[in-house]
Amino acid sequence: MTELTPGSRAPVDRRLGYQPSLDGMRAVAVLAVLGFHAFEWPSGGFLGVDVFFVLSGFLITTILLEERIATGAVSFKAFYSRRMLRLFPALAVFLAGYVIVLVASGEASNARFLDALSALLYVSNWVIALGGAFHQEGIGHLWSVAVEEQFYLLWPALLVLLASRGLRSALALAAALTAALVVWRIGLTTTGAPFVRLYYALDTRFDELLVGCLGGIAYVHAGDRLRAIDRGLARRASIAALLLLAVAIVLVPQADYDVLHLGGYTVLAAATLVIVVVCVTGLWPGLERALSAPALVFVGKISYSLYLWHVLVILVASRATFLPEVVREVAQVPLSFAAACASYFFVERPFLRLKERFASRRVVMPERGPGRFPFDPEPSA
């Protein structure tokens, strides 16, 4: 395989382009999380967050490497400007809504405002992981948003450093780092680290993101080889991965969480990556079509806002005691979607249109389709 070098143009068939099936995966992930929070079913629906981690690693890595190949370098200024405009406005509006709920319910306090500030600064996961006082009601789910933001801060520079030796070396070094982090988490688990330390901290979840990164490096480095995999083998691997994820989503909470901490997260991340790779390489068109269903694609597009707002909406609905319980429960889902749509159309999209003004360089990327970041429905360049 010819090594791709900075400044060279990637062959057309290696470029990712827009993949509706990945929007479909986002939809399945966010719906699992929504069901878990609203109805406590599926009982392992929280694992939808782990699917997002893998998607983040895969998509961020491919876009950074494609930029490096197309231009010879990565513009960190443009990257972080795009990320800020993509993610921060919707988060800020959501947290403003959270503060309004606190004030209206008479629960406003300096401690709650500090909790909101830590979420706004993307450090809530560490506050929780280190045993700090943090009122999770309404905003506890933002720990995963903090993990992803910390990943965005660390990975681009690290990827450029690893790729300076070539993508083959980057793949090997990233795999070694992934293995080291798995061993690190196993060590923490076996020495009695508390659950919050294992569940919420960046270092104990970074391997899931790195699994996606490994897939992104492999896709850019050897996309043609991936497409040459036997389709029957790819289908069987996909079926096994889908079954593993389905069983985990249904049964994991009935098992010891140590199963996850001792390597389960990494195994589930690998299963997710199998599905991602099979979809983006077209090895199983049927799976790709199923995940590209219009309804799933739409939910995938609003998934960031849906993830932000659903917990707060559920909290407010649960306190509407003047309504029958069945009405409150049924209303949670449509109200969550209503809040998500309002956030998507009136906050996310206007700021997405501003991204171009803050990008210092234009990168030649695939011509068709919107951007490839998780929750990103507009051009990313």
Side-chain angles (χ1 to χ4, degrees):
M1 171 60 62
T2 301
E3 185 72 33
L4 295 175
T5 58
S8 64
R9 292 295 298 273
V12 173
D13 66 346
R14 285 184 185 166
R15 290 177 159 188
L16 188 60
Y18 173 55
Q19 301 289 336
S21 59
L22 300 190
D23 270 331
M25 290 187 68
R26 295 184 189 99
V28 173
V30 78
L31 290 175
V33 174
L34 173 60
F36 173 74
H37 286 146
F39 309 113
E40 298 184 357
W41 190 92
S43 56
F46 63 91
L47 292 171
V49 169
D50 305 88
V51 173
F52 280 122
F53 286 163
V54 177
L55 285 169
S56 291
F58 180 82
L59 295 166
I60 291 293
T61 299
T62 54
I63 198 169
L64 289 171
L65 289 178
E66 285 181 348
E67 178 182 356
R68 183 174 181 268
I69 291 167
T71 68
V74 171
S75 172
F76 295 115
K77 177 182 177 181
F79 173 80
Y80 288 116
S81 294
R82 293 192 302 263
R83 291 296 82 207
M84 182 185 71
L85 288 170
R86 177 64 193 93
L87 301 174
F88 187 80
L91 175 65
V93 171
F94 165 75
L95 288 172
Y98 169 74
V99 170
I100 290 172
V101 170
L102 289 179
V103 173
S105 62
E107 298 178 19
S109 66
N110 289 337
R112 290 292 184 93
F113 293 150
L114 286 175
D115 294 340
L117 180 61
S118 69
L120 188 68
L121 297 176
Y122 300 107
V123 295
S124 60
N125 66 313
W126 281 110
V127 174
I128 300 170
L130 298 179
F134 187 90
H135 297 84
Q136 295 199 41
E137 200 174 47
I139 59 171
H141 63 302
L142 297 183
W143 73 270
S144 64
V145 178
V147 166
E148 290 212 17
E149 187 65 25
Q150 292 157 23
F151 162 71
Y152 296 148
L153 290 174
L154 293 174
W155 179 243
L158 181 57
L159 176 62
V160 170
L161 178 63
L162 295 178
S164 65
R165 294 176 173 269
L167 294 187
R168 186 176 301 171
S169 295
L171 192 63
L173 292 170
L177 178 58
T178 303
L181 287 170
V182 173
V183 171
W184 169 250
R185 187 176 59 230
I186 290 174
L188 289 174
T189 303
T190 56
T191 54
F195 172 81
V196 291
R197 174 68 178 84
L198 296 167
Y199 189 83
Y200 294 102
L202 174 66
D203 59 324
T204 52
R205 306 304 291 266
F206 201 68
D207 61 299
E208 298 172 75
L209 290 147
L210 281 175
V211 167
C213 296
L214 287 168
I217 297 171
Y219 181 86
V220 174
H221 174 56
D224 50 350
R225 287 186 179 180
L226 292 176
R227 291 184 180 86
I229 293 174
D230 179 75
R231 291 199 170 198
L233 175 62
R235 182 175 298 187
R236 290 191 293 273
S238 299
I239 291 172
L242 289 167
L243 287 175
L244 177 61
L245 287 169
V247 170
I249 287 172
V250 172
L251 297 180
V252 159
Q254 301 175 20
D256 194 326
Y257 268 83
D258 281 351
V259 172
L260 293 174
H261 300 149
L262 292 172
Y265 288 131
T266 316
V267 172
L268 294 176
T272 301
L273 182 62
V274 167
I275 298 169
V276 170
V277 171
V278 167
C279 285
V280 300
T281 54
L283 289 171
W284 187 3
L287 177 61
E288 185 180 0
R289 285 194 299 270
L291 289 171
S292 300
L296 285 179
V297 170
F298 175 75
V299 174
K301 289 182 183 298
I302 67 169
S303 57
Y304 178 49
S305 284
L306 184 58
Y307 185 78
L308 289 178
W309 281 94
H310 79 281
V311 173
L312 184 60
V313 169
I314 291 170
L315 175 64
V316 172
S318 69
R319 293 182 175 181
T321 54
F322 58 89
L323 294 173
E325 182 177 357
V326 65
V327 174
R328 298 199 302 269
E329 290 188 355
V330 170
Q332 294 176 113
V333 172
L335 288 176
S336 294
F337 271 90
C341 287
S343 175
Y344 174 72
F345 287 108
F346 297 111
V347 181
E348 288 189 56
R349 289 185 67 85
F351 278 96
L352 285 168
R353 288 192 287 267
L354 286 175
K355 286 200 304 181
E356 288 297 327
R357 301 182 185 179
F358 291 86
S360 63
R361 68 198 302 179
R362 185 163 186 82
V363 179
V364 178
M365 303 302 287
E367 294 179 356
R368 64 186 181 88
R372 286 85 43 92
F373 288 118
F375 317 125
D376 206 356
E378 298 293 342
S380 296

